[in-house]
Amino acid sequence: MTQTIENEFHCFVDDFLDEYFAFHPEIATASGIHAHDHQISDFSQGGIARDSSRLKKAISRLNRIGARIGKGSVEGLPPQFRLDFQLMRGTLEASLFELEEMRSWERNPSVYNDLLNASLFLLMKRAFAPLHTRVRAIIERERQIPGALVAARRNLRRVPRMLVQLAIRQFEGTLHFLKHTLPAAVAETRDPRLLAEFEDSNRQAMAAFSEFISFLRRQLLPRGAERFGIGEHRYRRKLWLEEWVDLPLEHLLAKARESLKENHEMFRRVGSSIHRSRGLEEILELITREHPAGDQVLDVTAGVLGQLQDFLVKRDLISLPPASLASRQGSLCTVDESPEFLRELTFASLDVPGPFEKRAREYFYYVTLPDPKWSPEAREQHLRFFSHQLILTTSIHEAYPGHLVHFLWVNRHPSKVRRLFGATSHVEGWAHYCEQMMIEQGFGDGDPRLHLAQLHEAQLRLCRFIVGIEMHAGSMSFRQAKNFFVRNAHMQPVNAEREAKRGIVDPTYLVYTLGKMQLLRLREDTQKKQGARFSLKKFHNACVQNGFPPIPLLRELLLGERRAVI
């Protein structure tokens, strides 16, 4: 019976993914499926309705498989298969919730920028096929952009003013990409006929983007809504469906505020151990002032990767996949400047190859450098984020043993479901957990400056936790959010503003600390249960070698109980 159910489930997954990639060509390209590289998503309301219908049919089919097990329960199934089944069902329900209740396609113009930009950038970035093949796909996708943006204009209604303002900056970043970055990459094909076709399609795409930016400025912005919060009900639903966390928001806020208070107390103690005669702000100023020049940030960042990898091997803290290499150029992980369209909302990020990618297996560690057009003061404020100590903690998060190590394992997982779907709180929670864990395990040889930097990063994530809930389920304004980051995360105003903007676009960016809290509690409870048999390395392996499911599902796999605990 179990084998029959498993076979039926795997057939369902294969059928679902065929439709999923056809409906979402950009996701297909990102995942390493290149049968749809010449297409972009259908943004029309009819296309969105068909996508919603597809999800409902998939949920019904999966429920019928579940009903055959007995009373709709999967509790008697083998643990690994049970996790896949639950994760697949949760993914479908969360996707339907996004389409029909969150309706980002109606209220957030950046949704369209993200997809259209990705549709081209993904083809340019990874050499999964000869350049002329990829340029042909770029041309075909660019020709569909004008129609896609016409559909976007019809869809957008009741758009919050702040989301319009952010979208204008992001669309401008993509326009810069179309004008400068993409043509430079395409020019390498040296095929006159293909280049002529590209010049025509790119001109049409740029015109469509310029017109859309004018639409945002002249029509959407003047009538943009002042309120941007999604509301308490939708916030709780989003948290449950995407992260499997159903704890009351009051409980989450109380825990975050308590943790922020504890962080501030530890921050003061560590700071006083560095300079007893100086104030905390002055100490942080001295540490963050110790940063490389803007044109050296990439090389310095690349230089720490080998150091981190060596520490993990020496302390035997986690199993590293054979492919884990550390250098800036010519190997697995390339440290590079963030693309123009990503710079508005992020300081650093990791771009991973799709789980089904066969050839272009590079990992890109992106770093946002200061804009040369900024004032000297703004550039200096930005570079304070890239002090030598913060580069270490950021690289722990993005690379070793954070996202890079995690996704090296994810992409090796035998389950298609586990390679593709999961929870952001697991992905970001693991990387954030690693920052603290590495200090606990002695990385940096007890240097209080590094400890202070780690606590500083934790402050930022705790503030995101509080601000996200308060802006979207409470009454906190954008200005109050910015000031909250300045006061409680010791941030420069230019960086605090970026964080507050990100919270408007990403209501649940509490996932960093939410995931870290759950993993710390899971580690504690696993250690209590296993006693002397507990191995930190085995625990870490379990965190990264089982995909990135919601942590309550990981907890069920390790401890036999499925619940959110922080």
Side-chain angles (χ1 to χ4, degrees):
M1 175 68 172
T2 299
Q3 189 61 50
T4 302
I5 292 294
E6 288 194 36
N7 290 339
E8 190 174 349
F9 175 73
H10 293 314
C11 288
F12 163 81
V13 170
D14 288 340
D15 291 345
F16 172 79
L17 291 181
D18 286 343
E19 288 191 344
Y20 176 69
F21 290 135
F23 266 84
H24 303 285
E26 303 87 357
I27 295 176
T29 302
S31 300
I33 301 295
H34 297 294
H36 310 284
D37 285 349
H38 59 294
Q39 298 169 320
I40 61 175
S41 294
D42 182 355
F43 297 151
S44 70
Q45 293 191 19
I48 292 168
R50 285 189 291 274
D51 199 13
S52 178
S53 174
R54 174 187 67 87
L55 288 168
K56 290 175 182 176
K57 289 177 182 176
I59 291 170
S60 295
R61 180 178 170 187
L62 191 59
N63 284 341
R64 288 195 297 272
I65 296 173
R68 290 187 55 216
I69 299 167
K71 298 181 180 179
S73 171
V74 295
E75 301 305 319
L77 297 174
Q80 291 287 349
F81 173 58
R82 182 167 69 241
L83 196 159
D84 274 13
F85 190 97
Q86 293 169 321
L87 177 57
M88 188 72 249
R89 185 161 58 188
T91 297
L92 294 173
E93 291 172 349
S95 298
L96 188 61
F97 167 76
E98 165 58 36
L99 273 183
E100 296 197 338
E101 294 188 51
M102 289 300 297
R103 303 176 75 86
S104 297
W105 53 275
E106 268 190 351
R107 71 186 302 269
N108 185 5
S110 295
V111 166
Y112 302 101
N113 179 72
D114 293 346
L115 286 171
L116 293 175
N117 192 294
S119 73
L120 304 175
F121 182 66
L122 290 165
L123 295 172
M124 182 197 79
K125 177 181 61 177
R126 297 187 185 279
F128 56 82
L131 181 58
H132 65 86
T133 301
R134 292 182 287 125
V135 172
R136 170 58 59 195
I138 287 171
I139 292 168
E140 293 186 27
R141 280 185 167 176
E142 282 197 320
R143 286 172 174 164
Q144 298 167 64
I145 285 176
L149 289 177
V150 168
R153 291 174 65 158
R154 292 172 179 157
N155 292 343
L156 291 165
R157 30 178 113 163
R158 299 185 301 277
V159 182
R161 176 185 294 270
M162 290 294 297
L163 289 182
V164 179
Q165 292 172 340
L166 288 170
I168 289 170
R169 294 291 301 275
Q170 290 178 298
F171 271 90
E172 287 175 339
T174 298
L175 187 56
H176 182 277
F177 168 76
L178 292 172
K179 284 182 178 179
H180 303 287
T181 310
L182 189 59
V186 168
E188 296 180 15
T189 186
R190 305 190 189 286
D191 180 332
R193 181 176 297 180
L194 200 60
L195 286 173
E197 287 189 60
F198 168 74
E199 288 174 6
D200 180 62
S201 67
N202 199 50
R203 184 168 52 251
Q204 293 179 46
M206 286 191 292
F209 264 79
S210 295
E211 290 173 11
F212 195 80
I213 291 169
S214 295
F215 161 73
L216 293 175
R217 289 187 189 281
R218 297 174 183 174
Q219 296 188 44
L220 276 194
L221 190 60
R223 52 188 170 91
E226 292 302 323
R227 290 180 60 85
F228 54 78
I230 64 174
E232 182 177 352
H233 173 72
R234 286 197 293 180
Y235 196 98
R236 292 193 64 175
R237 287 273 292 158
K238 183 176 175 65
L239 206 55
W240 164 244
L241 290 169
E242 294 178 359
E243 312 300 335
W244 288 53
V245 172
D246 58 353
L247 298 170
L249 297 186
E250 298 80 6
H251 175 72
L252 294 174
L253 279 172
K255 179 67 174 178
R257 291 189 177 111
E258 177 188 355
S259 297
L260 184 59
K261 181 180 178 181
E262 292 171 354
N263 176 289
H264 283 161
E265 291 171 355
M266 178 64 75
F267 199 71
R268 283 190 288 271
R269 287 200 298 272
V270 174
S272 65
S273 73
I274 298 172
H275 290 291
R276 291 188 179 278
S277 61
R278 300 194 179 189
L280 191 57
E281 294 292 342
E282 188 179 3
I283 294 168
L284 193 60
E285 170 83 9
L286 289 171
I287 292 174
T288 57
R289 194 186 298 165
E290 297 173 353
H291 60 74
D295 60 358
Q296 296 175 355
V297 170
L298 298 181
D299 288 324
V300 171
T301 301
V304 308
L305 299 187
Q307 180 184 351
L308 293 169
Q309 186 181 25
D310 290 345
F311 180 83
L312 294 172
V313 172
K314 181 179 179 181
R315 295 299 179 95
D316 200 26
L317 291 174
I318 192 169
S319 295
L320 297 176
S324 56
L325 305 172
S327 73
R328 179 178 169 198
Q329 302 292 350
S331 71
L332 182 75
C333 185
T334 299
V335 179
D336 207 350
E337 183 176 5
S338 298
E340 179 89 15
F341 56 89
L342 290 178
R343 297 173 193 170
E344 182 67 15
L345 297 174
T346 184
F347 290 102
S349 60
L350 188 78
D351 188 293
V352 305
F356 303 111
E357 189 59 70
K358 303 298 183 186
R359 295 180 60 185
R361 303 292 301 161
E362 306 93 342
Y363 286 70
F364 294 92
Y365 176 1
Y366 288 128
V367 175
T368 300
L369 301 180
D371 191 327
K373 297 191 294 291
W374 290 349
S375 68
E377 180 184 3
R379 290 199 299 270
E380 173 60 23
Q381 285 187 11
H382 182 87
L383 284 171
R384 297 293 176 89
F385 184 84
F386 296 103
S387 70
H388 291 284
Q389 309 303 326
L390 283 172
I391 285 175
L392 282 170
T393 58
T394 302
S395 297
I396 289 170
H397 182 104
E398 300 295 342
Y400 292 96
H403 293 323
L404 176 60
V405 172
H406 193 177
F407 275 94
L408 283 167
W409 281 115
V410 167
N411 283 350
R412 293 163 61 95
H413 201 282
S415 163
K416 293 178 183 178
V417 174
R418 219 81 67 86
R419 275 181 273 164
L420 277 168
F421 304 122
T424 309
S425 56
H426 189 156
V427 174
E428 297 297 351
W430 163 256
H432 189 32
Y433 160 87
C434 288
E435 298 167 25
Q436 177 174 324
M437 180 274 294
M438 290 286 277
I439 298 296
E440 292 172 346
Q441 295 302 311
F443 181 73
D445 297 321
D447 185 346
R449 297 173 304 168
L450 182 59
H451 192 187
L452 199 72
Q454 178 263 315
L455 291 169
H456 194 202
E457 288 290 273
Q459 279 178 13
L460 166 62
R461 274 49 175 268
L462 282 162
C463 288
R464 285 178 182 170
F465 194 120
I466 295 167
V467 164
I469 295 176
E470 292 286 15
M471 282 206 301
H472 287 277
S475 58
M476 181 179 282
S477 69
F478 170 75
R479 184 182 297 274
Q480 289 171 327
K482 175 183 173 181
N483 292 336
F484 190 88
F485 280 110
V486 171
R487 291 195 311 270
N488 293 285
H490 299 90
M491 297 191 79
Q492 296 292 330
V494 65
N495 297 336
E497 182 169 318
R498 179 184 281 108
E499 284 297 330
K501 286 179 179 177
R502 182 173 173 180
I504 293 171
V505 177
D506 184 6
T508 52
Y509 70 162
L510 85 169
V511 289
Y512 296 79
T513 300
L514 180 65
K516 173 185 171 181
M517 286 177 172
Q518 290 184 88
L519 288 173
L520 285 170
R521 181 62 184 272
L522 180 58
R523 184 180 74 179
E524 177 186 343
D525 292 347
T526 303
Q527 190 166 6
K528 284 180 182 177
K529 181 176 180 178
Q530 295 180 352
R533 296 183 295 108
F534 177 78
S535 162
L536 186 61
K537 179 181 181 178
K538 289 181 179 178
F539 174 75
H540 290 160
N541 287 348
C543 289
V544 299
Q545 293 179 8
N546 284 294
F548 54 109
I551 295 172
L553 290 182
L554 179 65
R555 186 180 186 90
E556 181 180 27
L557 191 65
L558 299 185
L559 297 180
E561 59 173 19
R562 185 177 72 243
R563 61 192 181 105
V565 188
I566 60 174

